[in-house]
Amino acid sequence: MDWWHELPADEPFGLANLPYAVADFPDGARVVARIADHALDLARCAEHAGMESGAVWDRPSLNAFLAEGPASWAAARTWLQDTLRDQTYADCVAPHLHPLDGLDLLLPLEVADYVDFYASEHHATNVGELFRPGQPALTPNWKHLPIGYHGRSGTVVVSGTDVVRPCGQRKGPNDPEPVFGPSVRLDIECELGFVVGGSSAIGEPIALDRAWEHIFGVVLLNDWSARDIQAWEYAPLGPFLGKSFATSISAWVVPMAALSAAHVPLPAQDPAPLPYLRGDAATGLDISCAVTWNDTLVSTPPFAQMYWSPAQMLAHLSVNGASTRPGDLFGSGTISGPAKETRGSFLELSWNGAEPVTLGDGSTRSFLQDGDTITLTATAPGPGGSVIGFGACTGTIRPALTSSP
Amino acid sequence: MDWWHELPADEPFGLANLPYAVADFPDGARVVARIADHALDLARCAEHAGMESGAVWDRPSLNAFLAEGPASWAAARTWLQDTLRDQTYADCVAPHLHPLDGLDLLLPLEVADYVDFYASEHHATNVGELFRPGQPALTPNWKHLPIGYHGRSGTVVVSGTDVVRPCGQRKGPNDPEPVFGPSVRLDIECELGFVVGGSSAIGEPIALDRAWEHIFGVVLLNDWSARDIQAWEYAPLGPFLGKSFATSISAWVVPMAALSAAHVPLPAQDPAPLPYLRGDAATGLDISCAVTWNDTLVSTPPFAQMYWSPAQMLAHLSVNGASTRPGDLFGSGTISGPAKETRGSFLELSWNGAEPVTLGDGSTRSFLQDGDTITLTATAPGPGGSVIGFGACTGTIRPALTSSP
């Protein structure tokens, strides 16, 4: 019996989970799977066991594996679980397990197109009230389609990467002219990110009932947002520099196969959406998130409260014939529940500064200060009463560059 | 004397131009340069001439060449012009020249991030009047910053690719509920696209006076737009499915070095923009575009009338610290001049259907019909009175798929 044969039932990174990441080994970056506090070097383990298809993991990103599609992902997972459970394979596993402590994890995928949705009714209502006072909080289209927009793929960074406070233009409603400088309203958005695999051709929409087959797995995602830059720039074409400076994702990608017990019904959708967004596949996911501001837990956003299903998001994204590629990533939008302590952005938690948040050291905050560290974590129910953990998504704010133009 | 030594002075693809493309040869796709109606197989020509650095052209995209940066681009151009001018090198050139007729040109670059701006005051004014009647045509931010948003990189296609009419939701102001179906208001946007090379790190803005060094070249770009889908979806986060189904670019990338004689002063900017957008590098480009609808020339959009400079667009895009990558592409937004016959979209040309366009066969159109072909072309002044041509950007509308979900 080796240690990974006898993990406790409540281990969030047990054999029911097995998330993937990319580790920077001295002889090259390769795909790994997490088992408790260790990473398994998958390509070397597969080579040792004589499984030739493991060569797809001998790459510095998940993209080649993502390209293979759902049958390959399922076969790989079955092989991996069998290899880890069967004590006769211990010699193929043990030499290739590395303690996570000291291992450098890289961005797990080359992000192709990055789309961000806006799928929480509570978040959209709060933002509408704050950004467009006096108008209906939800735009007329909100309950008919999952609103989304494209973000910047090239600035998606892995958990642990520092975030430089962005500079930009801002103009308050009473300022006569815009001013330039570091953002003074730097915020977070606690989201889930969905990693798309396989591909679909241009002109070929992904039907709702096939959408989950195209989703490989889930990351935690922090859509850092400069609210002052965003408020001034976003009409009429949407967010741009207020978001594009950095988007952090967790190093670990939890496979959808590990979340089979987490599917839950969506909150009621009224009015019923159009037929292409309707069907049994439109499920939610019971994933409980947590936002830690420095050392203080400040929010517990519930993904189960999201109005739109990830499957609806992908069906909508492609219904116009837009193609998808391995490495496409889409975010859910900020996860906010109905209760104040479940809001997923500081704009909402502090109600735009009117109700500052008190941290454990007695200090108060409405938005991020230089040196602040934000950590997102999450758990979901696993099969047979087990727990599925998500790797943390963390980032620390560095001061704006004084050399800005 | 070989034929390329004695091209006429008004040849739009003479030695002062030399645009790049990627051709699909039987033994692989490689970078080519255009000389009149021929393509020079650059990697093979360079190999023949003993220039080892030409291996960067032995690739199925321009990206490796783009990554090398401006000093390398200049050296390559000097080598190429010398090789073509010097009659002693004719033996290195002649075997590697291929007639364009019958040569298949591919998408010239792997598009990293695609951003689209909105830089024509005439276009933004027209659209504001049509989409937001009763409100000021320009949003308050419009003259303070070049408004832009991210588009879908994965659906940028090369000239000649058919465009499938997209399906989606639309809802007219008097419709009680949205309906789903093929777009009935399919439009074009005549734009220039700027191909970014080299790279800039996250947290390091590109200053205005260095911005042109990061721009490798220019393509013609048609930002196909489903106005009915766009009008219903775009509030509050901007265009998404109304644009993401296809964006066409010309196969030929005209290097910025060929456009040295095309820089012109911008129209007056009032109010003066913030300092990071101000400087001598904020020039326009005297590029004259033409839009042909089937066989009828319907518009001649003048790029020289654009309010914002491409250098300002790139300085703005990165001022928040967003990094850039080789293969980033940004569009100018629709090019519309002050006169009706210079408007760059059919929404504007037909004034939202109120003033249909009459084609040469006597038929009238407000938006695109299935089977219609749109071709964008352009010319610019070259050095010494020469003319710089742009390869066409063309696309034909195919009917919507009946198998849509």
Side-chain angles (χ1 to χ4, degrees):
Chain A
M1 293 288 279
D2 277 292
W3 64 264
W4 64 89
H5 297 127
E6 43 194 9
L7 292 169
D10 61 351
E11 165 59 52
F13 299 98
L15 301 199
N17 190 348
L18 300 174
Y20 295 92
V22 171
D24 193 18
F25 292 109
D27 62 338
R30 293 189 293 279
V31 176
V32 296
R34 180 164 176 176
I35 302 145
D37 56 355
H38 281 65
L40 179 64
D41 185 342
L42 287 172
R44 295 293 175 269
C45 173
E47 190 178 33
H48 198 139
M51 196 192 71
E52 289 177 6
S53 59
V56 75
W57 292 318
D58 200 1
R59 310 286 179 93
S61 82
L62 277 165
N63 289 56
F65 186 43
L66 293 175
E68 293 193 338
S72 173
W73 308 335
R77 183 171 171 85
T78 299
W79 170 81
L80 179 57
Q81 288 182 322
D82 288 349
T83 301
L84 289 167
R85 284 189 183 120
D86 190 330
Q87 296 173 34
T88 64
Y89 292 135
D91 288 352
C92 297
V93 172
H96 308 295
L97 278 170
H98 302 268
L100 287 180
D101 191 19
L103 205 59
D104 201 14
L105 300 180
L106 306 179
L107 189 68
L109 62 152
E110 293 169 45
V111 181
D113 271 302
Y114 166 50
V115 166
D116 200 22
F117 284 93
Y118 191 51
S120 159
E121 182 177 359
H122 303 292
H123 169 69
T125 301
N126 290 336
V127 170
E129 290 180 9
L130 290 167
F131 268 35
R132 292 178 294 277
Q135 297 176 43
L138 295 182
T139 48
N141 53 6
W142 202 92
K143 291 204 167 181
H144 293 281
L145 52 83
I147 291 175
Y149 68 101
H150 286 89
R152 192 164 186 81
S153 307
T155 51
V156 176
V157 298
V158 69
S159 173
T161 306
D162 287 348
V163 173
V164 178
R165 180 181 296 272
C167 290
Q169 292 193 27
R170 61 175 185 271
K171 181 178 173 302
N174 301 319
D175 294 338
E177 296 294 331
V179 297
F180 182 86
S183 170
V184 297
R185 296 162 72 78
L186 186 56
D187 197 359
I188 68 153
E189 296 197 336
C190 172
E191 305 191 13
L192 296 185
F194 295 86
V195 175
V196 175
S199 60
S200 62
I202 201 164
E204 294 183 6
I206 297 171
L208 177 73
D209 61 4
R210 308 295 298 270
W212 288 109
E213 299 169 27
H214 291 258
I215 302 177
F216 172 78
V218 185
V219 291
L220 296 176
L221 185 152
N222 187 345
D223 176 26
W224 305 95
S225 298
R227 299 299 180 192
D228 40 2
I229 296 172
Q230 181 185 355
W232 171 232
E233 74 176 354
Y234 89 105
L237 299 185
F240 185 33
L241 300 187
K243 304 274 196 175
S244 65
F245 57 95
T247 305
S248 300
I249 63 171
S250 55
W252 295 101
V253 183
V254 173
M256 282 311 307
L259 295 168
S260 57
H263 287 269
V264 289
L266 291 177
Q269 294 189 322
D270 180 21
L274 283 160
Y276 77 94
L277 294 172
R278 214 186 293 164
D280 293 342
T283 54
L285 291 169
D286 182 18
I287 298 175
S288 301
C289 302
V291 180
T292 303
W293 197 337
N294 297 336
D295 298 317
T296 306
L297 175 70
V298 294
S299 183
T300 53
F303 194 81
Q305 294 287 329
M306 299 298 273
Y307 190 87
W308 294 103
S309 165
Q312 290 174 314
M313 299 179 207
L314 187 55
H316 183 65
L317 181 158
S318 65
V319 76
N320 67 343
S323 51
T324 62
R325 294 177 288 174
D328 279 353
L329 173 70
F330 66 90
S332 60
T334 308
I335 309 162
S336 288
K340 176 170 178 176
E341 66 272 16
T342 62
R343 296 175 186 160
S345 73
F346 301 152
L347 175 73
E348 295 164 88
L349 266 183
S350 76
W351 206 247
N352 205 16
E355 304 167 18
V357 176
T358 302
L359 303 188
D361 64 1
S363 65
T364 59
R365 297 276 195 292
S366 293
F367 293 98
L368 289 160
Q369 294 185 1
D370 291 345
D372 281 356
T373 297
I374 299 299
T375 302
L376 311 181
T377 54
T379 57
S386 62
V387 176
I388 302 295
F390 287 71
C393 177
T394 187
T396 298
I397 304 302
R398 280 172 44 199
L401 297 179
T402 53
S403 64
S404 294
Chain B
M1 293 287 280
D2 276 293
W3 64 265
W4 64 90
H5 297 129
E6 41 195 12
L7 292 169
D10 61 351
E11 166 58 51
F13 299 98
L15 300 199
N17 191 348
L18 299 174
Y20 296 93
V22 171
D24 194 18
F25 293 108
D27 61 339
R30 293 189 293 278
V31 176
V32 295
R34 179 166 177 175
I35 303 144
D37 56 355
H38 281 65
L40 179 64
D41 184 342
L42 288 171
R44 295 292 174 269
C45 173
E47 189 178 32
H48 198 141
M51 196 192 73
E52 291 179 5
S53 59
V56 73
W57 292 317
D58 200 0
R59 311 286 180 93
S61 83
L62 277 165
N63 289 57
F65 187 42
L66 293 175
E68 291 193 338
S72 173
W73 307 336
R77 184 170 169 85
T78 300
W79 169 81
L80 180 57
Q81 288 181 324
D82 289 350
T83 300
L84 290 167
R85 284 189 183 121
D86 190 331
Q87 296 173 34
T88 63
Y89 292 135
D91 288 353
C92 297
V93 172
H96 309 294
L97 278 168
H98 301 268
L100 286 180
D101 191 19
L103 205 58
D104 201 14
L105 301 180
L106 306 179
L107 189 68
L109 62 152
E110 294 168 46
V111 181
D113 271 301
Y114 166 49
V115 166
D116 201 21
F117 285 94
Y118 190 52
S120 160
E121 181 176 0
H122 304 290
H123 170 68
T125 301
N126 290 337
V127 171
E129 290 179 9
L130 291 167
F131 268 35
R132 291 178 294 279
Q135 298 176 43
L138 295 182
T139 49
N141 52 7
W142 201 92
K143 291 204 168 182
H144 292 280
L145 52 83
I147 292 174
Y149 68 99
H150 285 89
R152 191 163 186 82
S153 307
T155 51
V156 176
V157 298
V158 70
S159 173
T161 306
D162 287 347
V163 172
V164 178
R165 180 180 297 272
C167 290
Q169 293 193 27
R170 61 177 185 270
K171 179 181 174 300
N174 301 319
D175 293 338
E177 297 294 330
V179 296
F180 181 86
S183 171
V184 295
R185 297 163 72 80
L186 187 56
D187 196 358
I188 68 150
E189 295 197 337
C190 172
E191 306 192 13
L192 296 184
F194 295 87
V195 176
V196 175
S199 60
S200 62
I202 200 164
E204 294 183 7
I206 296 172
L208 177 73
D209 62 4
R210 308 294 301 270
W212 288 110
E213 299 169 28
H214 291 258
I215 301 177
F216 171 78
V218 185
V219 291
L220 296 176
L221 185 149
N222 187 345
D223 177 26
W224 306 95
S225 298
R227 300 299 180 192
D228 41 2
I229 296 172
Q230 181 185 355
W232 170 233
E233 75 177 354
Y234 88 104
L237 299 184
F240 185 33
L241 300 189
K243 304 275 196 173
S244 65
F245 57 96
T247 305
S248 298
I249 63 172
S250 56
W252 296 102
V253 184
V254 174
M256 282 310 307
L259 296 168
S260 58
H263 288 269
V264 289
L266 291 177
Q269 294 190 322
D270 181 22
L274 284 160
Y276 77 95
L277 293 172
R278 214 185 292 163
D280 293 342
T283 54
L285 291 169
D286 182 18
I287 298 174
S288 302
C289 303
V291 181
T292 303
W293 197 337
N294 297 336
D295 298 317
T296 307
L297 175 70
V298 294
S299 182
T300 54
F303 194 80
Q305 293 287 330
M306 299 297 274
Y307 189 87
W308 294 103
S309 166
Q312 291 174 313
M313 298 179 207
L314 187 55
H316 182 65
L317 181 158
S318 65
V319 77
N320 67 344
S323 51
T324 63
R325 295 178 288 174
D328 280 353
L329 172 71
F330 65 90
S332 61
T334 307
I335 309 163
S336 287
K340 176 170 178 177
E341 65 273 16
T342 63
R343 295 174 187 162
S345 73
F346 300 151
L347 175 73
E348 296 165 86
L349 267 183
S350 76
W351 207 249
N352 205 17
E355 303 166 20
V357 176
T358 301
L359 302 187
D361 63 0
S363 65
T364 58
R365 297 277 197 290
S366 294
F367 294 97
L368 289 160
Q369 293 186 1
D370 292 344
D372 281 356
T373 296
I374 299 299
T375 302
L376 311 181
T377 55
T379 57
S386 63
V387 177
I388 302 294
F390 287 71
C393 178
T394 188
T396 298
I397 305 302
R398 278 172 45 200
L401 297 179
T402 53
S403 63
S404 294

